[in-house]
Amino acid sequence: MDFYILLKVALSVIIITNQWQQFPVVLGLMVYVMLETVLYIPTLIFASDLFARPRSYKRSMLLLFFNYLEMILGFAVLYSTGKYLNKSFNNWFDAVYFSTVTSTTIGFGDLYPVQTFGKILVIIQSMLVLMFVVLFLNFYSTKIDSKGYFEKSKKRLNNLSCFF
């Protein structure tokens, strides 16, 4: 599983650096790999109680980060397939830059979508980023021990229950 996720990230890098996104078969493979990840992430969010606890939270977080990186690079491949933005890309890194800026919701404004398909891609990428944020928060929230005010109130309730 770990190797497969790394292979999906490498596929995006290979496609964009070699400019293979013009080949329909390669682009179709890229879209398939991205859809697989897109369908896997909501399963982790909404059906997390059906899965066994991960062996390592650090490993799970690292794999989740690589899935996030796969989405950034995958959308960079999609952005570089046409002239959807206000400026054309000078090299492959411009597409990665725009995808990263979009996925981190910074939005500097130097590049922005002007065609409808470009706007749709940005909307889809923004929604996917929200899924990753929810999943990151879900992983972190399960590792946090409740201390302080809430822990004391729980003890106080247990002590009060013995009086009744």
Side-chain angles (χ1 to χ4, degrees):
M1 183 61 122
D2 302 349
F3 180 72
Y4 179 64
I5 292 173
L6 293 174
L7 185 66
K8 292 191 308 183
V9 173
L11 177 68
S12 303
V13 172
I14 291 168
I15 290 172
I16 199 164
T17 56
N18 293 317
Q19 297 180 354
W20 291 348
Q21 61 267 28
Q22 284 79 22
F23 300 114
V25 173
V26 174
L27 192 61
L29 178 65
M30 182 77 241
V31 169
Y32 171 76
V33 166
M34 288 177 64
L35 280 175
E36 181 186 52
T37 302
V38 166
L39 294 175
Y40 174 68
I41 297 302
T43 304
L44 287 177
I45 295 171
F46 297 114
S48 61
D49 54 341
L50 299 176
F51 296 115
R53 291 180 57 93
R55 285 181 275 156
S56 167
Y57 279 100
K58 289 179 184 178
R59 179 180 164 269
S60 297
M61 290 299 290
L62 186 62
L63 292 177
L64 185 61
F65 173 74
F66 279 117
N67 280 327
Y68 179 71
L69 191 60
E70 173 201 347
M71 286 291 112
I72 290 174
L73 295 170
F75 272 96
V77 169
L78 294 177
Y79 290 130
S80 66
T81 59
K83 300 193 183 314
Y84 308 120
L85 305 176
N86 62 329
K87 299 178 195 173
S88 59
F89 297 129
N90 296 328
N91 55 30
W92 63 269
F93 191 75
D94 289 344
V96 174
Y97 163 77
F98 177 72
S99 182
T100 304
V101 167
T102 300
S103 69
T104 56
T105 67
I106 294 173
F108 288 122
D110 53 346
L111 296 170
Y112 53 89
V114 291
Q115 290 188 2
T116 304
F117 187 69
K119 292 175 183 178
I120 290 170
L121 285 176
V122 167
I123 289 170
I124 292 171
Q125 186 176 9
S126 299
M127 297 303 281
L128 288 175
V129 165
L130 288 176
M131 286 193 327
F132 278 101
V133 168
V134 166
L135 199 52
F136 277 121
L137 291 176
N138 184 24
F139 272 119
Y140 277 123
S141 67
T142 58
K143 295 294 289 178
I144 297 173
D145 293 329
S146 60
K147 295 181 180 176
Y149 177 76
F150 295 107
E151 186 66 27
K152 290 177 186 175
S153 65
K154 187 189 288 186
K155 287 180 184 177
R156 217 177 285 142
L157 286 175
N158 288 339
N159 291 338
L160 289 177
S161 65
C162 68
F163 291 119
F164 295 106

